[in-house]
Structure formats: C-alpha cells, structure tokens
Amino acid sequence: MTALNFNAPSIASAAMLVDLSISQWSGIRRDKAASAKVSDDAGAKRGVASVTKKLLGDCPELKAISDFVAMVRTGTHHEMTLPWSNSGLRLLPTAKFFDYQADVTAKQGKFATLVTEFLQAYEWARAEAKAALGSLFNDDEYPSADVLARKFRFVVNYLPVPEVGDWRVDMGNTAREELSQRYADYYEEQNKKTIAALVSQTLEPLLRMSEKLADPVEGDKANSRGIKTFRDSLVENVVAMIDRLETYNLTNDPTIRETRFKLQQVMDGVTPDALREDAYLRRETKRKVDEVIASLPSLDNW
C-alpha cells in the first residue's frame, strides 16, 4: 500500500457534525455486601472480588431496548457518518442529511415505543426479580416509574464544522493566533481520521472479494466445479462502495477520487453470475482488485 499524502481543503460547506446522545437504564448494579461476603468467604482481601446483579433478571423489554440502542449506534449512525473527534461527534455529509434525519427520526419513535413497553412491564418484572434474587434483592435499588422514565433519552443535534481561524472572541492577537494554530492542527488531524476511516471501509469489501475470487485451496468451501461459492453481496458491496467514495470524499482527496475511478473501471460489466461462470473474468477481476488494494494509502500509522 502507498503512503498517505494528506492535503485537505475546508469541509465546512460539505458536511456537518452530528451529536447522537442515547442514554438508558442498564438495570445492572454492584452489590457491595455480596462482594464483601464473597471475599471474606474465600479468605481474600476485600475489593478483589465484585458481585454484580441484574436488578430485573433477563427482562425481555429491557433487553429489547439495549439491543435496539446498540443497533442504532453501529447501524445507520456509523454507516452514514465518519469519525471526527474523540468526544463522539461524527461527520455527516450534507448530501446525506435528509436520509440520516429520516432514519434517525424513525428510530427515535421506535425507541419511545420500546421504553413505553418496558415501563408498562416494570412492576411485574420487579416482582419477578424479588423472587429470583432472593437475599440479593434490595427494594431501595429500584427507582420509581417516574424517575426511571427520565433515565431514557434519545437526542440528536447537528452542529456546523468550525472553519480554521474562526475565533469570534475578544482576546489579544497572540492568543488568537495560538488558538487558531491549535485548531488548525486539530482540524487536519480529524480530517486525516475521516480519510483513514474511508480507506478502511473501502478495504473491507475489496479484501473479501480478493479472497473469494482466489483459487480454492484444500478446506475451502467450493462448488462441484472447484469454484469458491459467494453471495451476490460480494459484488454489491463493492459497487456500493463506489457511490460511498463519491459522497464521503468530503475533502476531495485525489487518492480517494482515483480509487473510485479505478473501481468503476474494475466493476464495469462485472456481475455475480458472470464471475461464477467465467474463470478468466474471476482471475482478471481479482488481479485488478489487488492492484486497487495495493494503491490505497497505508493505515500503518493510524
């Protein structure tokens, strides 16, 4: 893979920052008394063992919320955005705003429905937990329904990407210049991360395609003709990445532009069925995909 030469123009007009904040009640609590007893019974020093308990056991309504929140974070939010800062802010192309907003609004509605279902089941789940936990049950650890409802939040905010040198504060020139330089360095570093993330996302389907188009070896799953089997998504994911490289190349990086052009040429006329039927096409497609992989910027320093 080639070295990464970074040269990024401003992205303030091409993207915005998204702050997704979802909070929930976990229903998990550390039991100090039980932890101390475990240590004492084992003749161990207190503090080396910890007992945690599920206050509602395996409450399906609470688990449904946890699973849904995990899906929201790893699904559309991460798929449609790029990393920007360690604070959790992510970069959303303006071209994707309406798609993102429609999706996240629908998910906010689903989240509210799941929370309502959980709150309706709360008292029954609490009664079941009292029987299941035995002496570990402590009534004081269970919030009221009103307090519990306030522990669930799903909020999304959109912020502009600050321009380098945009310091609207009353301070001396020296301090303003120092802050501007610090932000310029930060701005460049975050832009590097967005490109690195895009390169990483590009690599994944390409590496998979290269692997699946390789000659089968002993132990690999292959069909009766010795060809490795694969789903249509092997091709579809690479084609989708071509569109993603256009939308998410927010800094108009020349390497990303060139990669997209190469992939367009590689995938022109390539279909899953054609790859399955044509050994020459498989070999040529793999060769060209491997060339694209080799031309991508190295991630070793990221």
Side-chain angles (χ1 to χ4, degrees), residues 11-21 77 84-85 87-94 97 100 155-163 183:
I11 59 175
S13 62
M16 65 191 74
L17 297 176
V18 179
D19 180 17
L20 177 67
S21 176
H77 181 60
W84 176 254
S85 73
S87 66
L89 291 174
R90 292 182 66 87
L91 208 57
L92 174 69
T94 52
F97 170 74
Y100 180 91
V155 179
V156 60
N157 288 305
Y158 304 95
L159 303 91
V161 181
E163 292 275 14
Y183 182 69

PDB file of all heavy atoms in Angstrom, residues 11-21 77 84-85 87-94 97 100 155-163 183:
ATOM      1  N   ILE A  11     -13.929  21.556   4.849  1.00  0.00           N
ATOM      2  CA  ILE A  11     -15.095  20.696   4.625  1.00  0.00           C
ATOM      3  C   ILE A  11     -16.349  21.305   5.252  1.00  0.00           C
ATOM      4  O   ILE A  11     -17.382  20.649   5.292  1.00  0.00           O
ATOM      5  CB  ILE A  11     -14.867  19.283   5.190  1.00  0.00           C
ATOM      6  CG1 ILE A  11     -14.595  19.365   6.692  1.00  0.00           C
ATOM      7  CG2 ILE A  11     -13.731  18.588   4.468  1.00  0.00           C
ATOM      8  CD1 ILE A  11     -14.480  18.006   7.343  1.00  0.00           C
ATOM      9  N   ALA A  12     -16.243  22.537   5.746  1.00  0.00           N
ATOM     10  CA  ALA A  12     -17.364  23.143   6.456  1.00  0.00           C
ATOM     11  C   ALA A  12     -18.618  23.253   5.602  1.00  0.00           C
ATOM     12  O   ALA A  12     -19.733  23.175   6.110  1.00  0.00           O
ATOM     13  CB  ALA A  12     -16.967  24.527   6.980  1.00  0.00           C
ATOM     14  N   SER A  13     -18.449  23.437   4.293  1.00  0.00           N
ATOM     15  CA  SER A  13     -19.613  23.582   3.425  1.00  0.00           C
ATOM     16  C   SER A  13     -20.117  22.248   2.892  1.00  0.00           C
ATOM     17  O   SER A  13     -21.188  22.184   2.292  1.00  0.00           O
ATOM     18  CB  SER A  13     -19.266  24.499   2.243  1.00  0.00           C
ATOM     19  OG  SER A  13     -18.223  23.926   1.478  1.00  0.00           O
ATOM     20  N   ALA A  14     -19.328  21.180   3.094  1.00  0.00           N
ATOM     21  CA  ALA A  14     -19.701  19.868   2.551  1.00  0.00           C
ATOM     22  C   ALA A  14     -20.240  18.917   3.598  1.00  0.00           C
ATOM     23  O   ALA A  14     -20.752  17.853   3.256  1.00  0.00           O
ATOM     24  CB  ALA A  14     -18.490  19.233   1.874  1.00  0.00           C
ATOM     25  N   ALA A  15     -20.128  19.294   4.883  1.00  0.00           N
ATOM     26  CA  ALA A  15     -20.546  18.369   5.938  1.00  0.00           C
ATOM     27  C   ALA A  15     -20.947  19.134   7.189  1.00  0.00           C
ATOM     28  O   ALA A  15     -20.724  20.344   7.305  1.00  0.00           O
ATOM     29  CB  ALA A  15     -19.411  17.396   6.259  1.00  0.00           C
ATOM     30  N   MET A  16     -21.550  18.417   8.109  1.00  0.00           N
ATOM     31  CA  MET A  16     -21.900  18.963   9.417  1.00  0.00           C
ATOM     32  C   MET A  16     -21.516  17.938  10.468  1.00  0.00           C
ATOM     33  O   MET A  16     -21.213  16.781  10.159  1.00  0.00           O
ATOM     34  CB  MET A  16     -23.407  19.250   9.482  1.00  0.00           C
ATOM     35  CG  MET A  16     -24.266  18.002   9.398  1.00  0.00           C
ATOM     36  SD  MET A  16     -26.019  18.367   9.155  1.00  0.00           S
ATOM     37  CE  MET A  16     -26.021  18.875   7.427  1.00  0.00           C
ATOM     38  N   LEU A  17     -21.515  18.354  11.713  1.00  0.00           N
ATOM     39  CA  LEU A  17     -21.221  17.444  12.814  1.00  0.00           C
ATOM     40  C   LEU A  17     -22.524  16.948  13.422  1.00  0.00           C
ATOM     41  O   LEU A  17     -23.499  17.704  13.540  1.00  0.00           O
ATOM     42  CB  LEU A  17     -20.384  18.147  13.884  1.00  0.00           C
ATOM     43  CG  LEU A  17     -18.997  18.610  13.445  1.00  0.00           C
ATOM     44  CD1 LEU A  17     -18.308  19.380  14.568  1.00  0.00           C
ATOM     45  CD2 LEU A  17     -18.141  17.425  13.012  1.00  0.00           C
ATOM     46  N   VAL A  18     -22.547  15.668  13.793  1.00  0.00           N
ATOM     47  CA  VAL A  18     -23.723  15.063  14.418  1.00  0.00           C
ATOM     48  C   VAL A  18     -23.366  14.613  15.820  1.00  0.00           C
ATOM     49  O   VAL A  18     -22.353  13.925  16.025  1.00  0.00           O
ATOM     50  CB  VAL A  18     -24.226  13.845  13.611  1.00  0.00           C
ATOM     51  CG1 VAL A  18     -25.436  13.228  14.305  1.00  0.00           C
ATOM     52  CG2 VAL A  18     -24.588  14.248  12.207  1.00  0.00           C
ATOM     53  N   ASP A  19     -24.180  15.008  16.775  1.00  0.00           N
ATOM     54  CA  ASP A  19     -24.006  14.585  18.164  1.00  0.00           C
ATOM     55  C   ASP A  19     -25.196  13.707  18.529  1.00  0.00           C
ATOM     56  O   ASP A  19     -26.294  14.197  18.761  1.00  0.00           O
ATOM     57  CB  ASP A  19     -23.937  15.807  19.080  1.00  0.00           C
ATOM     58  CG  ASP A  19     -23.761  15.427  20.544  1.00  0.00           C
ATOM     59  OD1 ASP A  19     -23.369  14.264  20.809  1.00  0.00           O
ATOM     60  OD2 ASP A  19     -24.020  16.276  21.420  1.00  0.00           O
ATOM     61  N   LEU A  20     -24.979  12.398  18.551  1.00  0.00           N
ATOM     62  CA  LEU A  20     -26.034  11.449  18.905  1.00  0.00           C
ATOM     63  C   LEU A  20     -25.870  11.062  20.363  1.00  0.00           C
ATOM     64  O   LEU A  20     -24.833  10.535  20.768  1.00  0.00           O
ATOM     65  CB  LEU A  20     -25.955  10.203  18.026  1.00  0.00           C
ATOM     66  CG  LEU A  20     -26.962   9.087  18.346  1.00  0.00           C
ATOM     67  CD1 LEU A  20     -28.383   9.537  18.030  1.00  0.00           C
ATOM     68  CD2 LEU A  20     -26.616   7.815  17.569  1.00  0.00           C
ATOM     69  N   SER A  21     -26.886  11.323  21.158  1.00  0.00           N
ATOM     70  CA  SER A  21     -26.829  11.028  22.583  1.00  0.00           C
ATOM     71  C   SER A  21     -28.007  10.129  22.964  1.00  0.00           C
ATOM     72  O   SER A  21     -29.167  10.541  22.875  1.00  0.00           O
ATOM     73  CB  SER A  21     -26.878  12.329  23.396  1.00  0.00           C
ATOM     74  OG  SER A  21     -26.922  12.054  24.788  1.00  0.00           O
ATOM     75  N   HIS A  77     -26.112   5.233  12.117  1.00  0.00           N
ATOM     76  CA  HIS A  77     -25.292   6.343  12.612  1.00  0.00           C
ATOM     77  C   HIS A  77     -23.838   6.196  12.167  1.00  0.00           C
ATOM     78  O   HIS A  77     -23.238   7.138  11.648  1.00  0.00           O
ATOM     79  CB  HIS A  77     -25.385   6.415  14.131  1.00  0.00           C
ATOM     80  CG  HIS A  77     -24.588   7.535  14.732  1.00  0.00           C
ATOM     81  ND1 HIS A  77     -24.826   8.853  14.410  1.00  0.00           N
ATOM     82  CD2 HIS A  77     -23.540   7.533  15.604  1.00  0.00           C
ATOM     83  CE1 HIS A  77     -23.975   9.626  15.079  1.00  0.00           C
ATOM     84  NE2 HIS A  77     -23.178   8.851  15.789  1.00  0.00           N
ATOM     85  N   TRP A  84     -14.965  12.049  13.721  1.00  0.00           N
ATOM     86  CA  TRP A  84     -14.430  13.404  13.729  1.00  0.00           C
ATOM     87  C   TRP A  84     -13.642  13.701  14.992  1.00  0.00           C
ATOM     88  O   TRP A  84     -12.517  14.163  14.945  1.00  0.00           O
ATOM     89  CB  TRP A  84     -15.546  14.425  13.550  1.00  0.00           C
ATOM     90  CG  TRP A  84     -15.062  15.852  13.641  1.00  0.00           C
ATOM     91  CD1 TRP A  84     -15.228  16.735  14.664  1.00  0.00           C
ATOM     92  CD2 TRP A  84     -14.291  16.539  12.645  1.00  0.00           C
ATOM     93  NE1 TRP A  84     -14.628  17.926  14.376  1.00  0.00           N
ATOM     94  CE2 TRP A  84     -14.036  17.839  13.138  1.00  0.00           C
ATOM     95  CE3 TRP A  84     -13.796  16.174  11.404  1.00  0.00           C
ATOM     96  CZ2 TRP A  84     -13.309  18.780  12.427  1.00  0.00           C
ATOM     97  CZ3 TRP A  84     -13.067  17.118  10.685  1.00  0.00           C
ATOM     98  CH2 TRP A  84     -12.836  18.407  11.192  1.00  0.00           C
ATOM     99  N   SER A  85     -14.204  13.428  16.155  1.00  0.00           N
ATOM    100  CA  SER A  85     -13.489  13.757  17.386  1.00  0.00           C
ATOM    101  C   SER A  85     -13.686  12.661  18.419  1.00  0.00           C
ATOM    102  O   SER A  85     -14.602  11.847  18.331  1.00  0.00           O
ATOM    103  CB  SER A  85     -13.988  15.093  17.960  1.00  0.00           C
ATOM    104  OG  SER A  85     -15.272  14.935  18.527  1.00  0.00           O
ATOM    105  N   SER A  87     -14.747  13.055  21.267  1.00  0.00           N
ATOM    106  CA  SER A  87     -15.912  13.355  22.092  1.00  0.00           C
ATOM    107  C   SER A  87     -17.160  12.636  21.602  1.00  0.00           C
ATOM    108  O   SER A  87     -18.204  12.679  22.252  1.00  0.00           O
ATOM    109  CB  SER A  87     -16.172  14.866  22.112  1.00  0.00           C
ATOM    110  OG  SER A  87     -16.543  15.315  20.814  1.00  0.00           O
ATOM    111  N   GLY A  88     -17.072  11.987  20.446  1.00  0.00           N
ATOM    112  CA  GLY A  88     -18.231  11.270  19.913  1.00  0.00           C
ATOM    113  C   GLY A  88     -18.892  11.968  18.742  1.00  0.00           C
ATOM    114  O   GLY A  88     -19.759  11.386  18.081  1.00  0.00           O
ATOM    115  N   LEU A  89     -18.501  13.207  18.476  1.00  0.00           N
ATOM    116  CA  LEU A  89     -19.045  13.907  17.312  1.00  0.00           C
ATOM    117  C   LEU A  89     -18.599  13.191  16.043  1.00  0.00           C
ATOM    118  O   LEU A  89     -17.461  12.733  15.933  1.00  0.00           O
ATOM    119  CB  LEU A  89     -18.548  15.349  17.270  1.00  0.00           C
ATOM    120  CG  LEU A  89     -19.082  16.295  18.345  1.00  0.00           C
ATOM    121  CD1 LEU A  89     -18.379  17.638  18.240  1.00  0.00           C
ATOM    122  CD2 LEU A  89     -20.582  16.471  18.202  1.00  0.00           C
ATOM    123  N   ARG A  90     -19.524  13.075  15.076  1.00  0.00           N
ATOM    124  CA  ARG A  90     -19.188  12.429  13.804  1.00  0.00           C
ATOM    125  C   ARG A  90     -19.596  13.330  12.650  1.00  0.00           C
ATOM    126  O   ARG A  90     -20.436  14.214  12.794  1.00  0.00           O
ATOM    127  CB  ARG A  90     -19.865  11.053  13.712  1.00  0.00           C
ATOM    128  CG  ARG A  90     -19.279  10.059  14.703  1.00  0.00           C
ATOM    129  CD  ARG A  90     -19.911   8.688  14.564  1.00  0.00           C
ATOM    130  NE  ARG A  90     -19.621   8.034  13.306  1.00  0.00           N
ATOM    131  CZ  ARG A  90     -18.540   7.277  13.087  1.00  0.00           C
ATOM    132  NH1 ARG A  90     -17.623   7.110  14.031  1.00  0.00           N
ATOM    133  NH2 ARG A  90     -18.366   6.685  11.917  1.00  0.00           N
ATOM    134  N   LEU A  91     -18.965  13.094  11.527  1.00  0.00           N
ATOM    135  CA  LEU A  91     -19.124  13.945  10.361  1.00  0.00           C
ATOM    136  C   LEU A  91     -20.189  13.374   9.425  1.00  0.00           C
ATOM    137  O   LEU A  91     -20.136  12.203   9.051  1.00  0.00           O
ATOM    138  CB  LEU A  91     -17.780  14.013   9.628  1.00  0.00           C
ATOM    139  CG  LEU A  91     -17.427  15.250   8.807  1.00  0.00           C
ATOM    140  CD1 LEU A  91     -17.472  16.506   9.663  1.00  0.00           C
ATOM    141  CD2 LEU A  91     -16.029  15.065   8.214  1.00  0.00           C
ATOM    142  N   LEU A  92     -21.170  14.209   9.080  1.00  0.00           N
ATOM    143  CA  LEU A  92     -22.249  13.798   8.186  1.00  0.00           C
ATOM    144  C   LEU A  92     -22.232  14.667   6.929  1.00  0.00           C
ATOM    145  O   LEU A  92     -22.366  15.891   7.019  1.00  0.00           O
ATOM    146  CB  LEU A  92     -23.606  13.947   8.887  1.00  0.00           C
ATOM    147  CG  LEU A  92     -24.849  13.693   8.031  1.00  0.00           C
ATOM    148  CD1 LEU A  92     -24.948  12.211   7.668  1.00  0.00           C
ATOM    149  CD2 LEU A  92     -26.116  14.151   8.767  1.00  0.00           C
ATOM    150  N   PRO A  93     -22.078  14.066   5.753  1.00  0.00           N
ATOM    151  CA  PRO A  93     -22.135  14.866   4.516  1.00  0.00           C
ATOM    152  C   PRO A  93     -23.500  15.539   4.388  1.00  0.00           C
ATOM    153  O   PRO A  93     -24.530  14.937   4.695  1.00  0.00           O
ATOM    154  CB  PRO A  93     -21.933  13.823   3.408  1.00  0.00           C
ATOM    155  CG  PRO A  93     -21.259  12.675   4.069  1.00  0.00           C
ATOM    156  CD  PRO A  93     -21.793  12.646   5.475  1.00  0.00           C
ATOM    157  N   THR A  94     -23.508  16.775   3.926  1.00  0.00           N
ATOM    158  CA  THR A  94     -24.776  17.476   3.761  1.00  0.00           C
ATOM    159  C   THR A  94     -25.679  16.735   2.770  1.00  0.00           C
ATOM    160  O   THR A  94     -26.903  16.766   2.897  1.00  0.00           O
ATOM    161  CB  THR A  94     -24.541  18.910   3.257  1.00  0.00           C
ATOM    162  OG1 THR A  94     -23.708  18.869   2.089  1.00  0.00           O
ATOM    163  CG2 THR A  94     -23.846  19.743   4.322  1.00  0.00           C
ATOM    164  N   PHE A  97     -27.904  14.358   4.684  1.00  0.00           N
ATOM    165  CA  PHE A  97     -28.646  14.861   5.837  1.00  0.00           C
ATOM    166  C   PHE A  97     -30.091  14.362   5.872  1.00  0.00           C
ATOM    167  O   PHE A  97     -30.563  13.861   6.891  1.00  0.00           O
ATOM    168  CB  PHE A  97     -28.629  16.388   5.862  1.00  0.00           C
ATOM    169  CG  PHE A  97     -29.575  16.969   6.884  1.00  0.00           C
ATOM    170  CD1 PHE A  97     -29.281  16.914   8.231  1.00  0.00           C
ATOM    171  CD2 PHE A  97     -30.784  17.534   6.489  1.00  0.00           C
ATOM    172  CE1 PHE A  97     -30.155  17.423   9.184  1.00  0.00           C
ATOM    173  CE2 PHE A  97     -31.670  18.046   7.428  1.00  0.00           C
ATOM    174  CZ  PHE A  97     -31.352  18.000   8.779  1.00  0.00           C
ATOM    175  N   TYR A 100     -30.346  10.677   6.613  1.00  0.00           N
ATOM    176  CA  TYR A 100     -29.993  10.420   8.014  1.00  0.00           C
ATOM    177  C   TYR A 100     -31.107  10.882   8.950  1.00  0.00           C
ATOM    178  O   TYR A 100     -31.509  10.163   9.873  1.00  0.00           O
ATOM    179  CB  TYR A 100     -28.685  11.136   8.363  1.00  0.00           C
ATOM    180  CG  TYR A 100     -28.236  10.938   9.792  1.00  0.00           C
ATOM    181  CD1 TYR A 100     -27.396   9.894  10.143  1.00  0.00           C
ATOM    182  CD2 TYR A 100     -28.657  11.808  10.796  1.00  0.00           C
ATOM    183  CE1 TYR A 100     -26.991   9.709  11.458  1.00  0.00           C
ATOM    184  CE2 TYR A 100     -28.265  11.627  12.111  1.00  0.00           C
ATOM    185  CZ  TYR A 100     -27.427  10.582  12.437  1.00  0.00           C
ATOM    186  OH  TYR A 100     -27.037  10.405  13.747  1.00  0.00           O
ATOM    187  N   VAL A 155     -31.463  11.759  21.779  1.00  0.00           N
ATOM    188  CA  VAL A 155     -31.378  13.126  21.251  1.00  0.00           C
ATOM    189  C   VAL A 155     -30.299  13.190  20.178  1.00  0.00           C
ATOM    190  O   VAL A 155     -29.217  12.601  20.325  1.00  0.00           O
ATOM    191  CB  VAL A 155     -31.036  14.129  22.377  1.00  0.00           C
ATOM    192  CG1 VAL A 155     -30.926  15.544  21.807  1.00  0.00           C
ATOM    193  CG2 VAL A 155     -32.087  14.064  23.479  1.00  0.00           C
ATOM    194  N   VAL A 156     -30.591  13.893  19.107  1.00  0.00           N
ATOM    195  CA  VAL A 156     -29.584  14.120  18.064  1.00  0.00           C
ATOM    196  C   VAL A 156     -29.515  15.610  17.775  1.00  0.00           C
ATOM    197  O   VAL A 156     -30.533  16.284  17.654  1.00  0.00           O
ATOM    198  CB  VAL A 156     -29.902  13.317  16.782  1.00  0.00           C
ATOM    199  CG1 VAL A 156     -31.254  13.711  16.207  1.00  0.00           C
ATOM    200  CG2 VAL A 156     -28.809  13.493  15.752  1.00  0.00           C
ATOM    201  N   ASN A 157     -28.298  16.135  17.730  1.00  0.00           N
ATOM    202  CA  ASN A 157     -28.081  17.547  17.438  1.00  0.00           C
ATOM    203  C   ASN A 157     -27.105  17.681  16.269  1.00  0.00           C
ATOM    204  O   ASN A 157     -26.202  16.842  16.096  1.00  0.00           O
ATOM    205  CB  ASN A 157     -27.507  18.275  18.657  1.00  0.00           C
ATOM    206  CG  ASN A 157     -28.545  18.445  19.754  1.00  0.00           C
ATOM    207  OD1 ASN A 157     -29.616  18.989  19.527  1.00  0.00           O
ATOM    208  ND2 ASN A 157     -28.235  17.959  20.945  1.00  0.00           N
ATOM    209  N   TYR A 158     -27.290  18.732  15.493  1.00  0.00           N
ATOM    210  CA  TYR A 158     -26.425  18.997  14.344  1.00  0.00           C
ATOM    211  C   TYR A 158     -25.682  20.303  14.583  1.00  0.00           C
ATOM    212  O   TYR A 158     -26.267  21.294  15.015  1.00  0.00           O
ATOM    213  CB  TYR A 158     -27.248  19.094  13.059  1.00  0.00           C
ATOM    214  CG  TYR A 158     -28.098  17.874  12.802  1.00  0.00           C
ATOM    215  CD1 TYR A 158     -29.429  17.823  13.207  1.00  0.00           C
ATOM    216  CD2 TYR A 158     -27.566  16.750  12.166  1.00  0.00           C
ATOM    217  CE1 TYR A 158     -30.212  16.694  12.988  1.00  0.00           C
ATOM    218  CE2 TYR A 158     -28.338  15.618  11.932  1.00  0.00           C
ATOM    219  CZ  TYR A 158     -29.655  15.602  12.345  1.00  0.00           C
ATOM    220  OH  TYR A 158     -30.426  14.485  12.120  1.00  0.00           O
ATOM    221  N   LEU A 159     -24.383  20.284  14.311  1.00  0.00           N
ATOM    222  CA  LEU A 159     -23.556  21.456  14.529  1.00  0.00           C
ATOM    223  C   LEU A 159     -22.722  21.729  13.278  1.00  0.00           C
ATOM    224  O   LEU A 159     -22.354  20.803  12.555  1.00  0.00           O
ATOM    225  CB  LEU A 159     -22.605  21.247  15.720  1.00  0.00           C
ATOM    226  CG  LEU A 159     -23.206  20.905  17.074  1.00  0.00           C
ATOM    227  CD1 LEU A 159     -23.317  19.397  17.238  1.00  0.00           C
ATOM    228  CD2 LEU A 159     -22.355  21.456  18.193  1.00  0.00           C
ATOM    229  N   PRO A 160     -22.399  23.000  13.042  1.00  0.00           N
ATOM    230  CA  PRO A 160     -21.532  23.309  11.905  1.00  0.00           C
ATOM    231  C   PRO A 160     -20.096  22.895  12.204  1.00  0.00           C
ATOM    232  O   PRO A 160     -19.684  22.857  13.365  1.00  0.00           O
ATOM    233  CB  PRO A 160     -21.653  24.830  11.772  1.00  0.00           C
ATOM    234  CG  PRO A 160     -21.977  25.292  13.157  1.00  0.00           C
ATOM    235  CD  PRO A 160     -22.837  24.213  13.763  1.00  0.00           C
ATOM    236  N   VAL A 161     -19.354  22.584  11.165  1.00  0.00           N
ATOM    237  CA  VAL A 161     -17.923  22.316  11.330  1.00  0.00           C
ATOM    238  C   VAL A 161     -17.210  23.663  11.360  1.00  0.00           C
ATOM    239  O   VAL A 161     -17.272  24.416  10.387  1.00  0.00           O
ATOM    240  CB  VAL A 161     -17.379  21.472  10.162  1.00  0.00           C
ATOM    241  CG1 VAL A 161     -15.891  21.186  10.360  1.00  0.00           C
ATOM    242  CG2 VAL A 161     -18.159  20.169  10.024  1.00  0.00           C
ATOM    243  N   PRO A 162     -16.553  23.998  12.458  1.00  0.00           N
ATOM    244  CA  PRO A 162     -15.879  25.309  12.528  1.00  0.00           C
ATOM    245  C   PRO A 162     -14.772  25.424  11.494  1.00  0.00           C
ATOM    246  O   PRO A 162     -14.048  24.472  11.223  1.00  0.00           O
ATOM    247  CB  PRO A 162     -15.303  25.329  13.953  1.00  0.00           C
ATOM    248  CG  PRO A 162     -16.063  24.285  14.699  1.00  0.00           C
ATOM    249  CD  PRO A 162     -16.400  23.230  13.692  1.00  0.00           C
ATOM    250  N   GLU A 163     -14.661  26.587  10.914  1.00  0.00           N
ATOM    251  CA  GLU A 163     -13.574  26.856   9.983  1.00  0.00           C
ATOM    252  C   GLU A 163     -12.294  27.125  10.768  1.00  0.00           C
ATOM    253  O   GLU A 163     -12.333  27.646  11.886  1.00  0.00           O
ATOM    254  CB  GLU A 163     -13.901  28.084   9.127  1.00  0.00           C
ATOM    255  CG  GLU A 163     -15.046  27.880   8.160  1.00  0.00           C
ATOM    256  CD  GLU A 163     -14.576  27.255   6.854  1.00  0.00           C
ATOM    257  OE1 GLU A 163     -13.429  26.757   6.825  1.00  0.00           O
ATOM    258  OE2 GLU A 163     -15.354  27.270   5.892  1.00  0.00           O
ATOM    259  N   TYR A 183      -6.192  24.826  16.612  1.00  0.00           N
ATOM    260  CA  TYR A 183      -7.357  24.257  15.948  1.00  0.00           C
ATOM    261  C   TYR A 183      -7.003  23.789  14.536  1.00  0.00           C
ATOM    262  O   TYR A 183      -7.539  22.777  14.062  1.00  0.00           O
ATOM    263  CB  TYR A 183      -8.517  25.245  15.889  1.00  0.00           C
ATOM    264  CG  TYR A 183      -9.731  24.616  15.244  1.00  0.00           C
ATOM    265  CD1 TYR A 183     -10.426  23.611  15.899  1.00  0.00           C
ATOM    266  CD2 TYR A 183     -10.141  24.987  13.965  1.00  0.00           C
ATOM    267  CE1 TYR A 183     -11.509  22.983  15.308  1.00  0.00           C
ATOM    268  CE2 TYR A 183     -11.228  24.375  13.371  1.00  0.00           C
ATOM    269  CZ  TYR A 183     -11.908  23.386  14.044  1.00  0.00           C
ATOM    270  OH  TYR A 183     -12.971  22.762  13.448  1.00  0.00           O
TER     271      TYR A 183
END
